């Protein structure tokens, strides 16, 4: 059964006041800007725990935590797992107990025993050599910190590294975009040349002012194809998977963000795949290489947690199609509620493909 609800665009156009304290992100497909819409769509359902199976930046997990839910975040990238540990594990007082500027200063202090994997393997690829040495030095220093401090530093450093990359990605060996003497936007050039530590201090301030309301959650780092091994029992599963684009081209997050995983496991920097110019250090298999594989994964999620609600984020032009997703829920006997945020600009241009949907499926036995 399908019930359609249109949540018209006000929540998308309004300033994001409720979630202003949440850290911003430069992550492809982040739902950070859509949190008011997701919140409105989810708030009237009855659930107390959530699994965010493809958690990315954990922005949505942080929102659910804010709503008082117990949140389990999962992502197959090590860096995203670390982000989940930081944002779901922090409390106002645990963060207040950390002197973030002093922590950052120590993390960049000269370490005579520093290794040089980044300098040796990635010279000329992503960052200039002085910054490659800084990354090596930073990683060597991480051993001196407690696990909680090291995770916070990794989270901050990863965000700083993203900010200093053209397109905020690691999918091309394109350092020359930074170094070549060509006209470029002043904003980009300034952000790229700003030191890691300066970006980290700014984000550290943001983290210090975040209230981290809600219960402490947990983060996992598993491939969603292996959910049988995931020992959690959530009331709602939030799914924001890597849809293929309208031409059936898959989006491989591991090729976009692989380099950040080296902050979590330094030895990965020696394992770059030389077959590709950008030497990815952490390519992962995914069922989302084909629309059929993605649908099979959704089906296995419903089989694994048959009593949980499924909330599926969907952008109007992805593959598999929204009709195919709804057909799976419908076939499994779920009652479907569809919430749609129509971006005002796109609505005016009549591009109705550019909607953001949240489909909430409720198992019949809960209705
Ligand atoms: C669209 S993004 C999620 C964005 C997230 N909702 C946010 O607001 O930041 C999809 C995420 O799925 C993760 N991912 C892709 N394939 C995966 C898999 N097979 N298992 C677990 N995570 C996967 C990617 O690393 C990426 O972070």
């Amino acid at each position: 059964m399908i019930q359609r609800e249109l949540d018209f665009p006000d929540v998308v156009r309004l300033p994001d006041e409720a979630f202003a304290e949440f850290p911003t992100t430069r992550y492809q497909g982040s739902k950070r800007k859509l949190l008011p819409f997701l919140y409105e769509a989810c708030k009237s359902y009855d659930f107390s725990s959530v699994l965010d199976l493809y958690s990315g930046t954990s922005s949505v997990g942080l929102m659910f935590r804010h709503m008082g839910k117990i949140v389990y975040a999962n992502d197959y990238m090590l860096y995203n797992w670390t982000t989940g540990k930081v944002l779901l594990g922090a409390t106002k007082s645990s963060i207040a107990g950390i002197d973030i500027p002093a922590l950052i200063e120590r993390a960049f202090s000269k370490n005579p025993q520093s290794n040089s994997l980044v300098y040796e393997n990635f010279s000329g690829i992503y960052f200039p050599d002085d910054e490659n040495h800084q990354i090596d030095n930073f990683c060597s220093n991480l051993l001196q910190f407690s696990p909680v401090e090291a995770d916070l530093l990794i989270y901050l450093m990863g965000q700083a590294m993203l900010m200093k990359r053209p397109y905020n990605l690691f999918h091309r060996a394109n350092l020359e975009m930074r170094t070549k003497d060509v006209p470029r936007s002043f904003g980009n050039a300034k952000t790229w040349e700003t030191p890691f530590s300066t970006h980290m201090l700014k984000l550290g301030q943001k983290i210090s002012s975040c209230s981290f309301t809600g219960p402490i959650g947990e983060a996992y780092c598993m491939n969603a194809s292996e959910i049988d091994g995931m020992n959690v029992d959530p009331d709602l599963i939030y799914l924001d998977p890597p849809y293929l684009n309208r031409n059936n081209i898959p989006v491989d997050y591991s090729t976009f963000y692989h380099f950040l995983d080296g902050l979590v496991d330094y030895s990965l920097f020696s394992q770059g795949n030389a077959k590709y110019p950008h030497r990815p250090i952490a390519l992962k298999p995914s069922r989302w290489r084909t629309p059929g594989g993605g649908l099979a994964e959704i089906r296995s999620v419903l089989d694994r947690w048959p009593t949980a609600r499924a909330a599926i984020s969907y952008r109007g032009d992805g593959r598999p199609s929204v009709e195919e997703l709804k057909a799976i829920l419908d076939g499994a006997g779920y009652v479907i509620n569809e919430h749609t945020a129509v971006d005002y600009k796109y609505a005016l241009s009549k591009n109705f493909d550019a909607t953001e949907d949240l489909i909430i499926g409720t198992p019949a036995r809960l209705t």
Side-chain angles (χ1 to χ4, degrees):
M1 193 212 313
I2 299 181
Q3 299 168 347
R4 187 160 180 86
E5 265 172 52
L6 284 180
D7 300 325
F8 266 99
D10 288 2
V11 285
V12 179
R13 278 184 289 152
L14 282 174
D16 176 358
E17 275 153 26
F19 302 102
E21 65 170 41
F22 288 16
T24 52
T25 102
R26 297 187 179 217
Y27 195 75
Q28 281 235 343
S30 160
K31 290 285 179 283
R32 168 71 179 74
K33 291 199 173 122
L34 280 170
L35 294 181
F37 160 67
L38 293 176
Y39 172 77
E40 287 297 325
C42 292
K43 70 178 186 196
S44 55
Y45 293 87
D46 182 22
F47 60 104
S48 56
S49 55
V50 186
L51 168 62
D52 181 359
L53 189 61
Y54 306 92
S55 57
T57 61
S58 282
S59 300
V60 181
L62 198 55
M63 175 200 82
F64 281 126
R65 182 180 174 194
H66 212 76
M67 292 168 75
K69 318 293 179 190
I70 296 170
V71 180
Y72 311 105
N74 175 71
D75 198 285
Y76 71 170
M77 300 304 291
L78 290 169
Y79 177 74
N80 293 343
W81 170 55
T82 307
T83 301
K85 283 196 281 176
V86 171
L87 298 184
L88 300 177
T91 60
K92 182 90 190 143
S93 64
S94 72
I95 291 292
I98 299 178
D99 181 345
I100 295 179
L103 202 70
I104 294 171
E105 196 180 327
R106 268 175 66 208
F108 285 98
S109 63
K110 182 94 194 113
N111 183 336
Q113 264 100 50
S114 172
N115 292 300
S116 51
L117 291 182
V118 177
Y119 169 67
E120 283 161 23
N121 296 295
F122 288 93
S123 191
I125 294 187
Y126 297 125
F127 297 104
D129 278 341
D130 60 323
E131 293 182 358
N132 287 334
H133 283 304
Q134 288 170 35
I135 299 169
D136 282 320
N137 191 78
F138 171 89
C139 290
S140 301
N141 279 341
L142 281 178
L143 299 172
Q144 306 165 13
F145 296 95
S146 72
V148 168
E149 290 170 335
D151 282 349
L152 178 60
L153 282 167
I154 289 169
Y155 165 64
L156 298 175
M157 178 65 162
Q159 293 301 310
M161 284 164 63
L162 280 182
M163 293 171 85
K164 287 166 66 63
R165 286 286 306 144
Y167 311 111
N168 310 120
L169 293 173
F170 294 92
H171 67 321
R172 298 236 164 84
N174 56 1
L175 174 61
E176 85 285 349
M177 285 190 72
R178 249 183 85 172
T179 52
K180 253 201 323 211
D181 196 12
V182 289
R184 62 171 73 88
S185 111
F186 175 71
N188 275 345
K190 188 159 180 269
T191 308
W192 294 342
E193 298 317 318
T194 299
F196 292 120
S197 56
T198 309
H199 286 309
M200 290 166 75
L201 277 168
K202 203 162 163 210
L203 178 58
Q205 274 172 359
K206 184 92 188 153
I207 291 290
S208 303
S209 64
C210 191
S211 61
F212 293 108
T213 310
I216 286 180
E218 285 170 20
Y220 297 83
C221 190
M222 291 177 68
N223 195 308
S225 62
E226 296 159 5
I227 49 173
D228 283 348
M230 203 176 283
N231 205 9
V232 293
D233 190 16
D235 301 331
L236 183 142
I237 326 275
Y238 173 69
L239 300 164
D240 184 19
Y243 292 106
L244 291 80
N245 73 13
R246 65 172 73 211
N247 301 316
N248 280 337
I249 309 289
V251 178
D252 181 351
Y253 277 80
S254 66
T255 203
F256 286 174
Y257 298 108
H258 64 98
F259 199 69
L260 299 178
D261 281 15
L263 297 173
V264 184
D265 177 355
Y266 184 65
S267 68
L268 291 175
F269 285 129
S270 65
Q271 295 168 32
N273 187 335
K275 215 167 86 188
Y276 305 97
H278 70 304
R279 288 193 209 151
I281 62 175
L283 290 186
K284 312 263 179 177
S286 168
R287 287 210 263 181
W288 289 91
R289 297 236 172 272
T290 61
L295 287 173
E297 190 146 289
I298 301 274
R299 225 176 262 121
S300 59
V301 169
L302 303 185
D303 288 347
R304 169 73 180 82
W305 290 285
T307 57
R309 287 190 162 85
I312 308 179
S313 267
Y314 187 80
R315 203 179 147 83
D317 52 1
R319 297 287 179 272
S321 69
V322 73
E323 282 71 29
E324 289 170 300
L325 292 171
K326 286 192 286 193
I328 288 194
L329 290 166
D330 204 26
Y334 285 63
V335 174
I336 301 172
N337 285 82
E338 205 178 342
H339 304 261
T340 302
V342 181
D343 187 317
Y344 173 66
K345 288 193 302 283
Y346 290 114
L348 284 183
S349 72
K350 305 260 187 306
N351 178 359
F352 287 111
D353 262 5
T355 58
E356 284 278 350
D357 287 6
L358 185 73
I359 305 159
I360 302 190
T362 303
R365 71 187 82 176
L366 296 186
T367 57

